[in-house]
Structure formats: structure tokens, C-alpha cells
Amino acid sequence: MHNSYKVSIIYFVFFSILLLVSAFMIFATKIGFSPADISSYYLGNEEKFMQAKSFSGLLKVIYPHIFAMALFTMVLLHFVYFTNYKKSKIFQYLIISTYLTILLEIFSPFAILQGATLFAIIKLISMLCMFILFFYIFWLLLKSILIQKNQNF
Amino acid sequence: MRFTLVKNLKKDRQMSTILIGLLSAILLYLLVDFFVKYFTIGLTPDALKLSLFGNEEEFVDPMGISSFLEFWHTEIFFIMMILLTLSAIYIRSVSQVKHYKFTLNLVMSSAIVSLVSLPLAYYVSESFVYLYVFTYFLWHLGAIKMSLRSLLELYA
């Protein structure tokens, strides 16, 4: 791989960190980090003057995220493919767990809207797992480029 | 990103035509972005301040936190994807040019600074709008230069 691609990937990781920070801030501002907050956000709460989310309203938010999150995940994971972790078992688990986590994160609000409030906990856990997995991928990429100076990369 | 594996892009007419199409679209996006920003949040420090913080005398409401964060989030996603694609083509098509690394670093770092300065302006101090406007134009002009340079190299 051309040396300058490494520079582009390092910048891409910084952009990705910014993207996750902004997602975290949106979650903190609009929803909150407890299962009760998440249930209130989707099902509404009279005491907090919050309206319940409609099915179409939820679709409008989820629709662009399905493709955008899958594309973002694919781009990040395909960079890991060029590192020494390509043949490790952990990479295979990383691919499956990242896609499963983003699917749960995206679609769990539909279950909450159907009254399955248990999915508020699943939404919270999947979101936290998603952040951990993405930051782990960032670490793998930065480690391969800056510390190990991977020649295959 | 299969084009990164093609040995000589200039000799591969099909692949270079595909990339010329993509580069033209990126160039158009960057130019249209000036108009979009001009008509939405503004392209001058004063217009940007008015959009972000409002003005009681002119009865202009400030931008809400949710709206601001959603705008910022979307901007980051589009900019990162465009610059990743553009940089991949630029590196591949003009790798012989001596100072291309300078342009690449300038565009990438100024885009990151512009994205960071936006929430700093909103949450910390409105004087960061000057940094935002400066770095916004810097990375846009740099990205336009990268697109034009790549187009010229692929046409030649």
C-alpha cells in the first residue's frame, strides 16, 4: 500500500472519533443514558412533556443510518484487513460483533415502540458496545500504522 | 477502492473515465456546498453568528442544541467520506508531484479544525466562528485544487 494512504487512514480515524463524539452528544442531549430515559424518549412521558415517537418518525431517523452505519463499519473494517490482524481469529469475531451491534442499535427502538421495554436496556448496551468496538478498531489501525509500522499496510 | 490496485491509471482508459466522473461529482458537491452554506448557516462570521446565536432585535431565534448537533453530525460524516475518497484518488493519480503531501495534510487538518471549531463556537466562545470560516474556505479550496489536479493528471 502507498505510504500516503496511511496518512489518509490516520485522518479518517480522527474524523471517525469526531463522528462518535457527536453521536454521543446527540444521545446525551436528546435521549439520556438510563433505560428509563430511553423508554421515555420513545414512548413519551407526560411529566416531562415528551411526546411518544411515531412509527414514521422513527423510520425517518433510522432509514439513513442503516446505510451510513454499514458503510462506515465496512470502511473501517476493510482497513483492518490490510493489517497483521487479517488472519487472526479476533478479526473474524470483530466483524460479526460490530455488524450485529449496529443492527441491534438501529432496530431496537422499534421493539421499544411495540412495548418491549426490555429493549431499552438492549439499546443502551448495544450503543455502549458499539462505541467500545469502534474505539478498539481505531486502536488496531493506529497501532498498526504508528507503532508496529506494518509493512503490508 | 479497486482503482488503488490498478498499476497505471493513466493507461487504463475505462478506470480513468470512471474516476473522472467521480471527481467531477466531488467538484460539483464542493461548489454547491458554498451555496448551501450561504443560504443556510451563512458563509461570513456575522451570518454564522446570527444563525447560531440568533438576534433579539431582529427577532431571529438561535439554533437549538439538537438541531446544531444533528447538523454537526451530518457534516462530519459527509466530509470524512468525501475527503477519504478524494485523497485516495489524489494519491493514486498525482503521486509523482513533489508537494502533494503538503496539500493533503493541509486539507485534512483544516477540515478537522473547521469541524472542531464549530462546537467550540457554539459552546465555548463565539470568536471560534472566525476560525471555522477560515478553515472552511481553506479545506474547500484545497479540496477543489486536489480534484482539479487529479482531473488534469487523468486527462493528460
Side-chain angles (χ1 to χ4, degrees):
Chain A
M1 185 180 268
H2 200 292
N3 239 354
S4 295
Y5 286 128
K6 293 177 188 173
V7 179
S8 289
I9 293 166
I10 292 170
Y11 280 117
F12 188 79
V13 170
F14 283 121
F15 278 115
S16 305
I17 292 169
L18 271 182
L19 189 75
L20 292 191
V21 168
S22 65
F24 187 85
M25 285 170 77
I26 289 173
F27 205 92
T29 309
K30 293 179 81 173
I31 304 175
F33 290 104
S34 75
D37 287 336
I38 295 169
S39 292
S40 296
Y41 177 76
Y42 290 108
L43 300 171
N45 188 324
E46 282 186 10
E47 287 171 9
K48 293 179 184 173
F49 304 104
M50 291 169 78
Q51 269 195 326
K53 294 280 168 288
S54 66
F55 186 78
S56 61
L58 206 56
L59 268 182
K60 273 182 192 167
V61 178
I62 284 168
Y63 169 65
H65 279 94
I66 299 169
F67 176 69
M69 286 175 81
L71 178 70
F72 175 68
T73 308
M74 185 280 285
V75 172
L76 275 177
L77 287 171
H78 109 282
F79 286 144
V80 181
Y81 180 84
F82 293 103
T83 67
N84 289 335
Y85 301 101
K86 178 189 171 183
K87 286 175 184 170
S88 68
K89 255 191 174 177
I90 200 163
F91 183 43
Q92 190 62 32
Y93 291 131
L94 195 61
I95 295 167
I96 295 164
S97 55
T98 311
Y99 277 112
L100 277 178
T101 309
I102 64 164
L103 277 177
L104 271 177
E105 213 279 325
I106 291 171
F107 288 101
S108 52
F110 282 114
I112 301 169
L113 218 56
Q114 298 305 313
T117 46
L118 173 74
F119 275 83
I121 300 167
I122 292 174
K123 166 90 179 167
L124 188 64
I125 293 169
S126 60
M127 196 214 51
L128 292 174
C129 287
M130 183 187 78
F131 274 85
I132 292 166
L133 286 167
F134 279 139
F135 274 99
Y136 182 60
I137 296 170
F138 300 158
W139 162 244
L140 289 182
L141 288 171
L142 291 178
K143 196 168 104 177
S144 296
I145 296 172
L146 300 171
I147 301 170
Q148 295 173 340
K149 300 197 187 299
N150 188 344
Q151 292 304 308
N152 302 322
F153 207 161
Chain B
M1 298 286 183
R2 177 84 186 164
F3 65 87
T4 57
L5 303 175
V6 175
K7 276 189 179 175
N8 193 336
L9 272 179
K10 287 177 193 173
K11 284 184 182 171
D12 193 325
R13 288 321 300 168
Q14 280 84 10
M15 189 55 88
S16 55
T17 313
I18 290 167
L19 292 180
I20 285 167
L22 179 62
L23 282 168
S24 309
I26 290 175
L27 198 57
L28 276 173
Y29 179 88
L30 292 167
L31 293 172
V32 170
D33 194 59
F34 285 126
F35 292 97
V36 173
K37 290 292 183 305
Y38 178 78
F39 288 114
T40 53
I41 62 164
L43 273 180
T44 60
D46 288 336
L48 193 61
K49 277 182 199 172
L50 187 68
S51 302
L52 292 178
F53 312 112
N55 188 324
E56 280 186 11
E57 289 170 6
E58 294 176 29
F59 303 106
V60 179
D61 287 327
M63 192 186 269
I65 294 174
S66 293
S67 306
F68 172 76
L69 288 173
E70 281 163 13
F71 166 74
W72 187 44
H73 188 63
T74 318
E75 280 287 291
I76 297 168
F77 182 76
F78 274 100
I79 292 172
M80 69 194 274
M81 287 303 176
I82 282 176
L83 289 185
L84 178 75
T85 316
L86 180 60
S87 65
I89 303 172
Y90 184 66
I91 290 163
R92 197 68 189 80
S93 54
V94 285
S95 56
Q96 297 86 355
V97 179
K98 270 186 182 176
H99 301 294
Y100 81 102
K101 273 187 184 172
F102 174 75
T103 312
L104 183 71
N105 282 308
L106 184 76
V107 169
M108 290 294 205
S109 52
S110 58
I112 288 175
V113 172
S114 87
L115 287 171
V116 172
S117 60
L118 203 54
L120 286 176
Y122 192 79
Y123 288 106
V124 183
S125 164
E126 64 175 48
S127 54
F128 280 102
V129 293
Y130 295 99
L131 183 63
Y132 172 77
V133 171
F134 175 71
T135 48
Y136 171 86
F137 280 107
L138 194 62
W139 85 255
H140 264 71
L141 294 175
I144 288 169
K145 185 202 161 189
M146 280 167 72
S147 312
L148 290 173
R149 184 83 215 190
S150 306
L151 275 171
L152 278 174
E153 291 284 335
L154 290 170
Y155 263 124

